[in-house]
Amino acid sequence: ARVLWMKVDDPLDAAAVHGGGGIFGLLCAGIFSSPHLISEVYTDGADYTSGKQFGIQLLGVVVIIAWSGINTLLIFFI
């Protein structure tokens, strides 16, 4: 209903599907991470727990949404 109210021309709901899937995929990296897998990736000796990794992934989601929103506003309104 919000898409119709905003008059977004997206008949296949591609933005919602790809945006939702992308956010879910980013957060799953934090949800399903284990200390063993994190230590395989981050070899700098830092202590990345599953909760901290989820926070990093969530921050990534926020940054991507802000970046995309700001650039969209700049493109369409300037």
Side-chain angles (χ1 to χ4, degrees), residues 1-76:
R2 185 184 307 172
V3 175
L4 295 175
W5 176 75
M6 293 173 55
K7 298 180 183 175
V8 174
D9 184 23
D10 189 11
L12 300 176
D13 290 332
V17 170
H18 290 279
I23 290 170
F24 181 71
L26 278 171
L27 294 179
C28 279
I31 293 170
F32 298 114
S33 63
S34 68
H36 169 70
L37 295 176
I38 292 173
S39 67
E40 290 289 323
V41 175
Y42 297 104
T43 58
D44 59 358
D47 182 28
Y48 292 101
T49 61
S50 294
K52 185 172 183 178
Q53 186 63 38
F54 180 77
I56 292 169
Q57 299 298 118
L58 187 60
L59 176 63
V61 168
V62 171
V63 169
I64 291 169
I65 290 172
W67 175 264
S68 301
I70 290 168
N71 282 311
T72 300
L73 289 173
L74 289 175
I75 290 170
F76 285 126

